[in-house]
Amino acid sequence: MFEKIPSFEELHSYIFDADRIPYAVMAIVLVHLIGVITGPRSGNANPMVWIWVDSLFGWLGDRLDKKQRAKADLAFRGFIIMAIALVVFVGFGEVCEYVSGRYEYYGLVQAVLIALALSGGGVYFVLLRLYFALEKKQELVKGAYYGVARTSRVNLNTTDDYGITRVGMAMAARSFDKGIVAPVFWYLVGGFTGLFAYSVIAALAWRFGKDGFSRGFGDVPLAIDKLLGIVPSLLATVLICLASIFTPTANILKSITSWWGKGAPYAQGGHPLTAMAWTLNVTLGGPVKDLGGSTVKLDWVGPKGATAKIDHGHLRRALYINLMAQLLFIASLLGAYIWSSYLLP
């Protein structure tokens, strides 16, 4: 008469499919190795799916996002673009599901398809070039600023070295959250359909959301991105806090305190960015201009009295925290897989 209530050990199987974890780990490793070796495509270190969304819908969105239109009209136009993009990429997810089931090759096919929605090595490639450019100052490092500008959609010509460093550090935190933790989370929950549906929403929020300062066109993707990203964002924050234990000069107590301090709005990086600022005792954010020429007045985020005049040394520590957080995430995934293997028949 009554269905059996699942035990605590069985609950996780109702949330995500543990059998997908090995493929996700393979994809994370793959995207890091390839990205570090080849660098990002066209200077953009975001996931490949984001680049495809930009190529397919970016030009159309720019034509529809007219300043003179009412906010409600712009929001409706943004919704239509989002709906079309979702249909296209959810369909692509179904194709990936079929292909990965038909062609195994020891899970490599599935890992490659997952990697399309992840960012990893390309981010290190770009930020390390930025680090060397800031360190050498007068010597030109080819493509150092271009990759950061394309990836973050910030016009670096309108800010100084301090501002450029803040953009790079924010990019390290946000790419970990949006380019690794969140897409993997939704892959584990919903397979390729969940993976690509989330990736499309995140890509449109990045492309048109203007970090929360959209005049309407990016409002719907921003709202849905926030809804889908709440849990992954909290997980990414925990991992960044734990990574501070292994990072020189980072402060684990301050990273924990950041949960109760004044934080960045979700659209500007949220808890992961806030944890990065607090644990390194710096101030991130500040007004910038995006690639479309709009002024984006980002909040100043960091502990009281922390400096915003940061240099390449702070960027190096941000990269180190990012790397430690990546390793901790992989370890947690493997731990969850082993745990599920023991508890489930």
Side-chain angles (χ1 to χ4, degrees), residues 32-57:
H32 277 81
L33 290 176
I34 293 177
V36 168
I37 295 171
T38 66
R41 179 181 173 83
S42 302
N44 191 335
N46 286 311
M48 184 61 67
V49 172
W50 292 29
I51 298 173
W52 290 345
V53 169
D54 186 19
S55 299
L56 291 172
F57 301 101

Side-chain angles (χ1 to χ4, degrees), residues 10-53:
E10 296 172 321
L11 281 176
H12 75 282
S13 64
Y14 289 84
I15 301 173
F16 67 88
D17 186 350
D19 290 337
R20 294 175 179 145
I21 292 178
Y23 304 115
V25 172
M26 287 176 62
I28 294 172
V29 174
L30 187 65
V31 79
H32 277 81
L33 290 176
I34 293 177
V36 168
I37 295 171
T38 66
R41 179 181 173 83
S42 302
N44 191 335
N46 286 311
M48 184 61 67
V49 172
W50 292 29
I51 298 173
W52 290 345
V53 169

Side-chain angles (χ1 to χ4, degrees), residues 80-194:
I80 294 299
I81 292 294
M82 183 190 71
I84 296 172
L86 278 173
V87 169
V88 172
F89 280 92
V90 167
F92 178 67
E94 293 297 324
V95 173
C96 291
E97 199 78 57
Y98 171 79
V99 170
S100 63
R102 186 174 178 84
Y103 305 100
E104 285 286 339
Y105 295 107
Y106 304 100
L108 184 60
V109 171
Q110 189 149 340
V112 169
L113 294 174
I114 297 167
L116 295 174
L118 306 182
S119 63
V123 174
Y124 292 111
F125 188 96
V126 166
L127 290 181
L128 281 172
R129 280 190 170 187
L130 176 64
Y131 168 77
F132 291 127
L134 292 170
E135 181 185 37
K136 296 177 181 179
K137 291 191 180 296
Q138 300 302 322
E139 296 182 31
L140 180 63
V141 178
K142 185 178 179 180
Y145 299 101
Y146 179 73
V148 177
R150 284 292 309 277
T151 304
S152 61
R153 290 196 57 78
V154 173
N155 184 350
L156 299 183
N157 292 321
T158 62
T159 188
D160 56 14
D161 283 355
Y162 299 133
I164 293 172
T165 306
R166 292 195 299 269
V167 170
M169 292 180 67
M171 180 176 149
R174 297 177 73 169
S175 66
F176 175 60
D177 177 21
K178 298 293 185 184
I180 291 291
V181 177
V184 167
F185 174 85
W186 283 108
Y187 167 71
L188 296 180
V189 171
F192 282 108
T193 301

Side-chain angles (χ1 to χ4, degrees), residues 233-235 237-238 241 254-261 271 274-275:
S233 178
L234 293 176
L235 175 57
T237 305
V238 171
C241 291
K254 281 197 172 183
S255 68
I256 295 173
T257 306
S258 71
W259 290 74
W260 295 275
H271 288 297
T274 304

Side-chain angles (χ1 to χ4, degrees), residues 246-283:
F246 308 98
T247 304
T249 74
N251 190 320
I252 179 63
L253 294 179
K254 281 197 172 183
S255 68
I256 295 173
T257 306
S258 71
W259 290 74
W260 295 275
K262 181 182 182 298
Y266 180 84
Q268 297 179 26
H271 288 297
L273 176 66
T274 304
M276 178 79 77
W278 280 69
T279 191
L280 294 178
N281 194 33
V282 297
T283 297

